[in-house]
Amino acid sequence: MDDGQTTFGFALTAEQWQDEADELIFRMTTGAATIAELKRLQQLLEYRMHALRTGHHVAEQAPSVTNLPPRLNELIGEVVICCAVAEEHASELLQLRSGDLDKAVDGFGSTSTRLLRKLKGKIPDELHERFTDALDFRHYIVHGVYVDAKFLLGKQNAFSQDGYVAMKQSFGNDVPGYTVRYINEAELVGLRDRLTSISAELSTLISQAMDGFGGVGPERAAQ
């Protein structure tokens, strides 16, 4: 059945559609809607017209595209978001440490291995090590394929009862293969919290860099 998800790239229940449409219509009538919100309202209305034209109700909730429990899906999303924040902070710190806000420093906007390479010697070694470990785990979370641990580790394995294995293709090896990492809810919560802590420490370093950067003040910030 064509429920509109393929056509529009998202799926909503009738209640979700109504709630979002009502909010956007209110913002439009009060003159507070942004261009992006007006475009979203247009998309929602087209979505509804599609449902009426095809004789289908507004789509049901989009099905899960993974074999993971909902809580693990949520935690993976939180890890990805926290990692992005930490990488953004690190990139901003690199720029401030360069002493020039008008020319992008080499490494600004970088992520992962390249970012870590540029951070070496610019943040405390202990923080760099923790960030490296966190990003290494993040590679498995983002690029891995998840398999129930019982199928890979065996039923007798103590870690196989509530977890999954993230299988990631090996990079740069002559023979194709996989490396694996065991994950469960506790592992993901720990990674999320480590990334949050790293972000806080990077934020502190950013504040210190701004204090020592003479060009950063109200006038410069307003530019």
Side-chain angles (χ1 to χ4, degrees):
M1 184 182 77
D2 180 6
D3 60 6
Q5 182 180 353
T6 302
T7 303
F8 293 91
F10 60 87
L12 301 172
T13 64
E15 292 77 15
Q16 289 171 327
W17 182 92
Q18 192 68 59
D19 289 345
E20 186 172 0
D22 286 347
E23 174 65 22
L24 291 173
I25 290 171
F26 173 77
R27 289 182 61 80
M28 179 185 69
T29 57
T30 58
T34 65
I35 293 177
E37 288 172 332
L38 291 174
K39 289 181 178 179
R40 175 66 174 178
L41 178 58
Q42 179 183 11
Q43 189 181 36
L44 286 174
L45 293 174
E46 290 174 351
Y47 184 35
R48 181 60 174 163
M49 289 174 63
H50 168 84
L52 293 171
R53 185 168 57 250
T54 58
H56 300 147
H57 295 292
V58 175
E60 297 178 353
Q61 292 275 20
S64 173
V65 295
T66 77
N67 60 338
L68 298 176
R71 179 54 181 155
L72 288 190
N73 282 326
E74 293 173 4
L75 286 170
I76 287 170
E78 291 176 14
V79 165
V80 171
I81 292 170
C82 290
C83 185
V85 172
E87 289 179 327
E88 192 276 337
H89 284 355
S91 181
E92 182 179 349
L93 180 62
L94 279 176
Q95 187 66 53
L96 287 168
R97 289 280 174 83
S98 75
D100 187 354
L101 298 185
D102 297 320
K103 178 177 174 56
V105 67
D106 186 20
F108 181 79
S110 297
T111 60
S112 194
T113 304
R114 176 175 170 79
L115 178 62
L116 289 168
R117 189 166 59 248
K118 296 300 178 182
L119 282 172
K120 189 68 175 176
K122 295 182 173 62
I123 61 175
D125 290 342
E126 186 269 341
L127 176 57
H128 191 276
E129 290 175 6
R130 283 191 288 122
F131 202 7
T132 299
D133 289 342
L135 289 182
D136 180 66
F137 194 176
R138 174 258 185 197
H139 290 328
Y140 286 88
I141 301 305
V142 174
H143 301 295
V145 175
Y146 300 101
V147 179
D148 191 324
K150 288 190 291 294
F151 294 109
L152 200 65
L153 301 179
K155 293 183 179 180
Q156 302 306 315
N157 190 291
F159 297 111
S160 67
Q161 301 308 309
D162 65 346
Y164 289 78
V165 170
M167 303 173 57
K168 185 170 71 69
Q169 292 177 342
S170 301
F171 176 74
N173 293 343
D174 293 334
V175 179
Y178 289 85
T179 54
V180 299
R181 181 92 182 232
Y182 172 77
I183 66 168
N184 62 6
E185 183 172 331
E187 292 276 351
L188 292 174
V189 168
L191 178 57
R192 178 200 64 191
D193 293 346
R194 290 197 299 276
L195 286 165
T196 300
S197 176
I198 289 167
S199 291
E201 292 181 52
L202 290 170
S203 181
T204 298
L205 293 175
I206 287 172
S207 297
Q208 294 171 354
M210 291 179 68
D211 288 341
F213 192 81
V216 178
E219 299 81 5
R220 183 59 176 268
Q223 293 181 0

